[in-house]
Amino acid sequence: MPPTPAVPHGKRPTLADVAARAGVSTALVSIVMRDAKGAGAATRERVLEAAQEIGYRPDARARLLRSHRSHLLGVQFGLQHPFHSDLLEGIYAVAEPAGYQIALSAVAAGRGEQRATDALLADRCEALILLGPQAPAARLAELAGQLPVVSVARRLRGTALGVEVVRTADDEGARQAVDHLVALGHRDIAHIDGGRAPGAADRRRGYRTAMSRHGLADRVHVLPGGLTEEDGAAGAHALLDATPLPTAVLAFNDRSAAGVLDTFLRARVSVPDEVSVIGFDDSHLARLAHINLTTVGQDIPRLAELAVGRAIARLGGERTATGEAVVAPHLVIRGTTAGPA
């Protein structure tokens, strides 16, 4: 093949560059890249080889826009939440084989949910998957009036909002945690809750229900908390200031549990010898060797499968009868729980 000028440094290779490299027309390169009929096997191989040599990659988004479909699923997530990162991996694994790309928009300090969802709408996303949204129900209903919306990890009352809901049975997860601790012999079990975070009310209710079922209603101890390590640390400090310490703590999530572990470590309180600690989510944080956290696992592959599947189904005009899918949790026992001393 005769040498052709290299693509200038920093310039994205085009169909014309591939055509020049392969010695064929731009139209023929387009046929090959679209995997359409009209190119022989040898020509197709030469074009693909030329594309690889100069680093050409088809612009899938531009092609979709020309077809008046973006095939983009917009995902809003919390930048600081390990559980959301794990969910994103699952969502990509399900969406891409189904022919959909993912557009991400983060919620962070100084960037609220309104800005996050507005950015996804501006990207021409066909549906939204919102991870742990905290926006008012009226805002979610407004979004659902524009395009399909799937809320993950937040219970919504009724189905009138038009929002599909995919969530874990949070109350059942908290009950499993309490059952595990009681089976180990614990009776003084405190709960550092999640405040107004999605799932917090259900986990709080599950904790209270399980304590009552075991005849421990008089030992229920709920401390205000939240989503972060700082919230868990504040709850742990409150426990340290009171006497005696409970023999076990159920934290709202793995981040909160990490804050509890750090506080106890600094106070020379041994976990699990003096106090057992359980988190919630089974995020990658819980699986770190130096944390090794007993936690309530959420079925991330199933949650992702349902979230993407329901978004695509709604794009196809389908709607589920209930508007809600609830996934069972499972306890993951590691090194932060043991029988009381």
Side-chain angles (χ1 to χ4, degrees):
M1 181 185 299
T4 59
V7 178
H9 180 69
K11 178 179 178 291
R12 179 175 177 144
T14 65
L15 285 177
D17 295 324
V18 178
R21 181 76 174 183
V24 299
S25 69
T26 302
L28 191 54
V29 173
S30 177
I31 287 173
V32 172
M33 293 303 164
R34 288 184 287 112
D35 199 23
K37 295 180 179 179
T43 300
R44 188 177 297 276
E45 182 178 351
R46 188 162 78 249
V47 168
L48 293 175
E49 183 179 340
Q52 184 176 16
E53 288 172 353
I54 66 173
Y56 173 80
R57 296 291 183 275
D59 190 338
R61 185 171 297 191
R63 184 174 68 251
L64 291 169
L65 288 174
R66 286 194 296 272
S67 71
H68 306 292
R69 292 260 336 249
S70 70
H71 276 73
L72 275 177
L73 301 179
V75 180
Q76 171 191 290
F77 69 103
L79 194 60
Q80 300 299 322
H81 298 320
F83 176 60
H84 288 188
S85 299
D86 294 344
L87 267 174
L88 286 175
E89 288 189 34
I91 287 171
Y92 273 112
V94 177
E96 290 184 341
Y100 285 82
Q101 297 298 313
I102 299 298
L104 300 178
S105 192
V107 177
R111 191 175 196 264
E113 291 189 10
Q114 178 83 39
R115 283 182 61 188
T117 53
D118 285 349
L120 294 173
L121 294 174
D123 276 345
R124 295 186 68 238
C125 292
E126 294 188 340
L128 298 181
I129 298 175
L130 311 178
L131 306 187
Q134 300 190 56
R139 168 61 175 166
L140 299 181
E142 176 188 345
L143 289 170
Q146 302 175 53
L147 75 174
V149 174
V150 180
S151 169
V152 180
R154 174 182 172 182
R155 178 198 289 271
L156 293 170
R157 295 179 181 274
T159 58
L161 295 177
V163 179
E164 292 279 348
V165 173
V166 175
R167 65 178 181 86
T168 294
D170 291 291
D171 52 351
E172 172 60 25
R175 288 196 294 269
Q176 289 182 16
V178 172
D179 289 348
H180 169 64
L181 292 169
V182 170
L184 289 173
H186 293 278
R187 296 295 179 267
D188 293 313
I189 303 168
H191 175 43
I192 300 174
D193 79 359
R196 301 183 64 182
D202 285 345
R203 295 178 195 181
R204 190 163 50 242
R205 182 174 60 252
Y207 160 77
R208 290 182 181 275
T209 299
M211 291 290 283
S212 295
R213 191 176 69 240
H214 289 292
L216 302 173
D218 61 332
R219 303 196 188 192
V220 166
H221 188 186
V222 178
L223 295 93
L227 291 160
T228 68
E229 292 89 347
E230 292 77 13
D231 293 316
H237 280 298
L239 292 173
L240 289 168
D241 290 341
T243 52
L245 268 174
T247 63
V249 177
L250 168 61
F252 170 69
N253 64 5
D254 293 342
R255 287 186 67 190
S256 174
V260 173
L261 293 174
D262 180 70
T263 301
F264 284 166
L265 176 65
R266 294 171 187 272
R268 300 184 183 278
V269 174
S270 177
V271 176
D273 296 333
E274 295 178 70
V275 181
S276 288
V277 177
I278 297 186
F280 205 112
D281 289 341
D282 194 26
S283 63
H284 61 268
L285 176 66
R287 300 190 291 271
L288 293 174
H290 68 285
I291 293 181
N292 196 30
L293 179 68
T294 296
T295 185
V296 177
Q298 302 200 56
D299 189 343
I300 288 174
R302 182 59 176 157
L303 290 169
E305 178 186 11
L306 286 167
V308 173
R310 290 196 167 210
I312 294 174
R314 288 294 293 272
L315 287 170
E318 300 177 29
R319 184 170 180 179
T320 59
T322 63
E324 180 181 62
V326 182
V327 179
H330 57 281
L331 187 68
V332 182
I333 300 173
R334 296 195 179 95
T336 57
T337 53

